[in-house]
Amino acid sequence: MVREDEFVALCRSHGLAATHQRRVIYATVASLHGHPSPELIYEKVKKKIPSISLATVYNNVRTFLASGMLREVSMHHGSLRVEPNNHEHHHLVCVRCRSITDLHAKNLGLLRLKTQPRGFRVTRIAVDVLGICAACAAKEVSK
Amino acid sequence: MVREDEFVALCRSHGLAATHQRRVIYATVASLHGHPSPELIYEKVKKKIPSISLATVYNNVRTFLASGMLREVSMHHGSLRVEPNNHEHHHLVCVRCRSITDLHAKNLGLLRLKTQPRGFRVTRIAVDVLGICAACAAKEVSK
DNA sequence: TTACATAATGATACAAAATATCAGATAATA
DNA sequence: TATTATCTGATATTTTGTATCATTATGTAA
Ligand SMILES: [Mn+2]
Ligand SMILES: [Mn+2]
Ligand SMILES: [Zn+2]
Ligand SMILES: [Zn+2]
């Protein structure tokens, strides 16, 4: 479990109030293996705080993501997107607006695995170049 | 627009019936730039077939994805997933069950862009090694 | 430490995205 | 053409996520 004073300092440094719910949510995420969904986190947190609301878990997961205290696995859109481009390519993904634009494969050096992962048959390697797109950068300057 | 006989042959080779709706949906996707959502495809297709149902668009987009006639942009789960692992790492992503497991960054050769994309401030490069996980491979053999 | 302003929580309503169901229509095959 | 399997479209339902708002807790400064 995350120490109380450490958690307070961490929240302070991110401009967040250090609430009991936040401490338990944060500690729960840190204790989990894999890549949990808010619903799974909610199930785990409920064992410590039975009265907690799913909305509070969502609110705080999003607050942690926005503040940088937690990261998200994928920066893609949440909903299904179809790929009409059949050429071999990768993507530029904006971490602010989640816009996705194509990037020719030749813009990246040769990709290869040093060791083959055991029990996993590799079919393709997809690269996301993450960052801030021009539109979002412009908005940032004008603020 | 995709030629009628070509489309029929394409469907035939994927074991699908060549319906009018499918032809229009497929041609619409091919005509679009970017990475459209089923809802956007639906809006475009409705101009050609006003009576079409959103469910039909969803059904056929998923049929195309399952058959390999179309690809999906991201093989990640549709819903939000949190990353508890703060170390620099990449992911093995199963294209069947969408399970995501961590892959140490050192298993990949140095990643770098040959040319910086104009107007895009790169912050990080995320790699998904796509393929079939052991569990899904086992299911495939037993079939 | 107390008082107060600000921010967070939890209950619930709402919305978006996706899937299930099924009667009737259409396509593949013979 | 007739038969069968598949597909379509209308609609209901589920899943995932967001908005609202009264109540409660936190941070700060007197
Ligand atoms: Mn693309
Ligand atoms: Mn990970
Ligand atoms: Zn952007
Ligand atoms: Zn799998």
Side-chain angles (χ1 to χ4, degrees):
Chain A
M1 183 62 103
V2 182
R3 262 176 53 204
E4 174 71 26
D5 57 349
E6 282 177 342
F7 183 72
V8 171
L10 188 58
C11 283
R12 222 38 80 71
S13 72
H14 287 88
L16 302 178
T19 69
H20 176 57
Q21 287 84 343
R22 278 189 183 151
R23 189 183 169 202
V24 174
I25 292 168
Y26 188 83
T28 298
V29 169
S31 78
L32 292 170
H33 298 287
H35 303 93
S37 64
E39 278 71 19
L40 181 78
I41 297 166
Y42 172 60
E43 290 306 320
K44 297 290 182 184
V45 169
K46 245 197 323 195
K47 290 174 184 171
K48 301 271 184 180
I49 312 174
S51 68
I52 202 163
S53 164
L54 177 59
T56 297
V57 172
Y58 265 102
N59 282 341
N60 283 306
V61 165
R62 297 175 62 76
T63 298
F64 288 144
L65 295 175
S67 73
M69 275 178 66
L70 287 179
R71 283 199 306 151
E72 198 172 340
V73 174
S74 168
M75 296 313 295
H76 290 196
H77 296 94
S79 65
L80 173 62
R81 301 301 156 115
V82 177
E83 177 61 85
N85 181 349
N86 290 316
H87 300 108
E88 188 188 335
H89 69 285
H90 300 293
H91 290 116
L92 295 176
V93 181
C94 178
V95 299
R96 290 258 196 291
C97 67
R98 307 205 173 206
S99 65
I100 300 172
T101 54
D102 291 347
L103 177 72
H104 275 268
K106 61 186 172 194
N107 276 316
L108 278 168
L110 189 64
L111 281 168
R112 53 177 200 80
L113 288 166
K114 291 185 179 172
T115 52
Q116 290 302 313
R118 294 183 69 83
F120 189 94
R121 193 168 79 243
V122 176
T123 54
R124 189 162 70 87
I125 296 184
V127 178
D128 289 338
V129 176
L130 306 177
I132 312 289
C133 76
C136 287
K139 279 179 210 154
E140 203 148 283
V141 168
S142 67
K143 274 192 304 194
Chain B
M1 182 63 103
V2 181
R3 261 177 54 206
E4 175 70 24
D5 57 348
E6 281 177 343
F7 184 72
V8 171
L10 188 58
C11 284
R12 223 37 83 71
S13 72
H14 286 88
L16 302 178
T19 69
H20 176 58
Q21 287 85 344
R22 279 191 184 150
R23 189 183 169 201
V24 175
I25 292 168
Y26 188 83
T28 300
V29 168
S31 78
L32 292 170
H33 298 287
H35 303 92
S37 64
E39 278 72 18
L40 181 77
I41 297 167
Y42 172 61
E43 290 307 320
K44 298 290 182 183
V45 169
K46 244 196 325 195
K47 290 174 183 171
K48 302 271 183 178
I49 312 174
S51 69
I52 202 163
S53 163
L54 177 60
T56 297
V57 173
Y58 266 102
N59 282 341
N60 284 307
V61 165
R62 289 195 296 123
T63 298
F64 288 144
L65 295 176
S67 73
M69 275 179 65
L70 287 179
R71 282 200 305 150
E72 197 173 339
V73 174
S74 168
M75 295 312 295
H76 289 194
H77 294 95
S79 65
L80 173 63
R81 301 299 156 117
V82 177
E83 176 61 85
N85 181 349
N86 291 315
H87 299 108
E88 187 188 336
H89 68 285
H90 300 292
H91 290 116
L92 296 176
V93 181
C94 178
V95 300
R96 290 259 195 291
C97 68
R98 308 206 173 206
S99 64
I100 301 171
T101 55
D102 292 346
L103 177 72
H104 276 269
K106 61 185 171 193
N107 276 316
L108 279 168
L110 189 64
L111 283 167
R112 52 177 201 79
L113 287 166
K114 290 185 179 171
T115 52
Q116 290 301 314
R118 294 183 68 84
F120 189 95
R121 192 168 80 243
V122 176
T123 55
R124 191 161 69 86
I125 297 184
V127 178
D128 288 338
V129 176
L130 307 177
I132 313 288
C133 76
C136 288
K139 279 178 208 155
E140 203 148 286
V141 168
S142 68
K143 275 192 301 196

